[in-house]
Amino acid sequence: MCSIQAKKRSLAGILLAGVLSMLFLGGCGYTMVPNEYLLQLNGTPSEDQEGEEETVLTEGTRLRNQMIAVLNLGRDLENRISSSTSLDEAASLFLEIVLEDPETYILSTQQGNQNQEEDQEEDQGDGQGGGQEEEKAYLYVYDGDLSSGSVATLALKDITEDEASITKNLLKMASISVTHGSGEKGSVWVILVEYIDE
């Protein structure tokens, strides 16, 4: 009788040890899945953040980047057009001004009266004389209800036509800024193009 109970106990002990080892091994195998899953999850936020950064781009910024890419086709490195933070700030200021009376500015710029809004001479070098650089910025205003594609088509045509005459004065296009906004009297696209001495 004792030997049967002892055998049952030893068999139960072996079974218990087997079940525990299966649980431990199963647990180890199980913990590997969440670790891999967490690694995948850790990679996902950066992809999501990249997606969020792309959506953060305003319509104006996206159109500006596209127009710069188009205008840079065929230009050598010295004549590449870029974006400019100061020009972006100036464009934002012009947007506020234009929104007070959009129709006037739209008609004015579409009739070719987009004369330079900036005409500055700045010292170059170390401040002890040196050359002077002339800067001019041309303003283009379009109806804000137009799609970005329509504005790009109109603006690229206007800008390239104007560039032909402006560059005769030994100026070259340096940077572009584009912004879009709405006010009580409607919405507008404001494009500012900066030219500097060659």
Side-chain angles (χ1 to χ4, degrees), residues 63 67 91 138-142 151-152 154-156 159 176-179 189-193:
L63 182 57
M67 287 178 63
Y138 285 75
L139 179 69
Y140 300 84
V141 181
Y142 300 93
V151 171
L154 293 169
L156 288 168
I159 290 168
I176 292 179
S177 181
V178 181
T179 186
W189 288 94
V190 169
I191 299 176
L192 205 55
V193 182

Coordinates of all heavy atoms in Angstrom, one line a residue, residues 63 67 91 138-142 151-152 154-156 159 176-179 189-193:
L63 N 2.8 74.3 -51.5 CA 2.9 74.9 -52.9 C 4.2 75.5 -53.1 O 4.8 75.4 -54.2 CB 1.7 75.8 -53.1 CG 1.6 76.5 -54.4 CD1 1.5 75.5 -55.5 CD2 0.4 77.5 -54.5
M67 N 6.7 74.7 -56.2 CA 7.1 75.7 -57.1 C 8.6 75.8 -57.2 O 9.2 76.0 -58.3 CB 6.5 77.0 -56.8 CG 5.0 77.1 -57.1 SD 4.2 78.6 -56.7 CE 5.1 79.8 -57.7
A91 N 5.8 87.6 -46.2 CA 4.6 87.2 -47.0 C 3.4 87.1 -46.0 O 2.3 87.4 -46.4 CB 4.9 85.8 -47.6
Y138 N 8.8 90.9 -55.4 CA 7.6 91.1 -56.2 C 6.5 90.3 -55.6 O 6.6 89.1 -55.2 CB 7.9 90.6 -57.6 CG 8.8 91.6 -58.4 CD1 10.1 91.7 -58.1 CD2 8.2 92.5 -59.3 CE1 10.9 92.6 -58.8 CE2 9.0 93.4 -60.0 CZ 10.3 93.5 -59.7 OH 11.1 94.4 -60.4
L139 N 5.3 91.0 -55.6 CA 4.1 90.4 -54.9 C 3.1 89.9 -56.0 O 2.9 90.7 -56.9 CB 3.5 91.5 -54.0 CG 2.2 91.1 -53.3 CD1 2.5 90.1 -52.2 CD2 1.5 92.3 -52.7
Y140 N 2.6 88.7 -55.8 CA 1.6 88.2 -56.7 C 0.4 87.7 -55.8 O 0.6 87.1 -54.8 CB 2.1 86.9 -57.5 CG 3.3 87.3 -58.3 CD1 4.6 87.3 -57.8 CD2 3.1 87.5 -59.7 CE1 5.7 87.5 -58.6 CE2 4.2 87.8 -60.5 CZ 5.5 87.8 -60.0 OH 6.6 88.1 -60.8
V141 N -0.8 88.1 -56.2 CA -2.0 87.8 -55.4 C -3.0 87.1 -56.3 O -3.3 87.6 -57.4 CB -2.6 89.0 -54.7 CG1 -3.8 88.6 -53.9 CG2 -1.6 89.8 -53.9
Y142 N -3.5 86.0 -55.8 CA -4.5 85.2 -56.6 C -5.7 84.9 -55.7 O -5.6 84.8 -54.5 CB -3.8 83.9 -57.1 CG -2.7 84.1 -58.0 CD1 -1.4 84.1 -57.5 CD2 -2.8 84.3 -59.4 CE1 -0.3 84.4 -58.3 CE2 -1.7 84.6 -60.2 CZ -0.5 84.6 -59.6 OH 0.6 84.8 -60.4
V151 N -3.3 77.7 -59.0 CA -2.4 78.9 -58.6 C -1.0 78.6 -59.1 O -0.3 79.5 -59.6 CB -2.5 79.1 -57.1 CG1 -1.4 80.1 -56.7 CG2 -3.8 79.5 -56.7
A152 N -0.5 77.4 -59.0 CA 0.8 77.1 -59.5 C 1.0 77.3 -60.9 O 1.9 78.0 -61.4 CB 1.1 75.6 -59.2
L154 N -0.8 79.5 -62.9 CA -0.8 80.9 -63.1 C 0.4 81.6 -62.6 O 1.0 82.4 -63.3 CB -2.1 81.5 -62.4 CG -3.4 81.1 -62.9 CD1 -4.5 81.6 -62.0 CD2 -3.7 81.7 -64.3
A155 N 0.8 81.2 -61.4 CA 2.0 81.9 -60.8 C 3.3 81.6 -61.6 O 4.1 82.5 -61.8 CB 2.1 81.5 -59.3
L156 N 3.5 80.3 -61.9 CA 4.7 79.9 -62.6 C 4.8 80.7 -64.0 O 5.9 81.1 -64.4 CB 4.8 78.4 -62.8 CG 5.1 77.6 -61.6 CD1 4.9 76.1 -61.8 CD2 6.5 77.9 -61.1
I159 N 5.5 84.4 -63.1 CA 6.9 84.6 -62.5 C 7.9 84.4 -63.6 O 8.9 85.2 -63.7 CB 7.1 83.6 -61.3 CG1 6.2 84.1 -60.1 CG2 8.6 83.6 -61.0 CD1 6.2 83.0 -59.0
I176 N 11.4 82.2 -52.8 CA 10.0 82.3 -53.0 C 9.3 82.0 -51.7 O 9.7 81.1 -51.0 CB 9.5 81.4 -54.1 CG1 10.0 81.8 -55.5 CG2 7.9 81.4 -54.2 CD1 9.5 80.9 -56.6
S177 N 8.2 82.7 -51.4 CA 7.3 82.4 -50.3 C 5.9 82.3 -50.8 O 5.5 83.2 -51.6 CB 7.5 83.4 -49.2 OG 6.7 83.0 -48.1
V178 N 5.1 81.4 -50.3 CA 3.7 81.3 -50.6 C 2.9 81.1 -49.4 O 3.3 80.3 -48.5 CB 3.5 80.0 -51.5 CG1 2.0 79.9 -51.9 CG2 4.3 80.1 -52.8
T179 N 1.8 81.8 -49.3 CA 0.9 81.7 -48.1 C -0.5 81.8 -48.6 O -0.8 82.4 -49.6 CB 1.2 82.7 -47.0 OG1 0.5 82.4 -45.9 CG2 1.0 84.1 -47.5
W189 N -4.4 83.8 -52.2 CA -3.0 83.2 -52.2 C -2.1 84.4 -52.4 O -2.3 85.2 -53.3 CB -2.8 82.3 -53.4 CG -3.6 81.0 -53.3 CD1 -4.8 80.7 -53.8 CD2 -3.1 79.8 -52.8 NE1 -5.1 79.4 -53.6 CE2 -4.1 78.8 -52.9 CE3 -1.9 79.4 -52.1 CZ2 -4.0 77.5 -52.5 CZ3 -1.8 78.1 -51.7 CH2 -2.8 77.2 -51.8
V190 N -1.0 84.5 -51.5 CA 0.0 85.5 -51.6 C 1.3 84.9 -51.9 O 1.7 84.0 -51.2 CB 0.0 86.4 -50.4 CG1 1.3 87.3 -50.4 CG2 -1.2 87.2 -50.2
I191 N 1.9 85.3 -53.0 CA 3.2 84.8 -53.4 C 4.2 85.9 -53.5 O 3.9 87.0 -54.1 CB 3.2 84.1 -54.8 CG1 2.2 82.9 -54.7 CG2 4.6 83.6 -55.2 CD1 2.0 82.2 -56.0
L192 N 5.3 85.8 -52.8 CA 6.4 86.8 -52.7 C 7.6 86.2 -53.3 O 8.1 85.1 -52.9 CB 6.6 87.2 -51.3 CG 7.2 88.6 -51.0 CD1 6.3 89.7 -51.7 CD2 7.3 88.9 -49.5
V193 N 8.2 86.9 -54.3 CA 9.4 86.4 -55.0 C 10.5 87.4 -54.8 O 10.4 88.6 -55.1 CB 9.2 86.2 -56.5 CG1 10.4 85.6 -57.2 CG2 8.0 85.3 -56.7

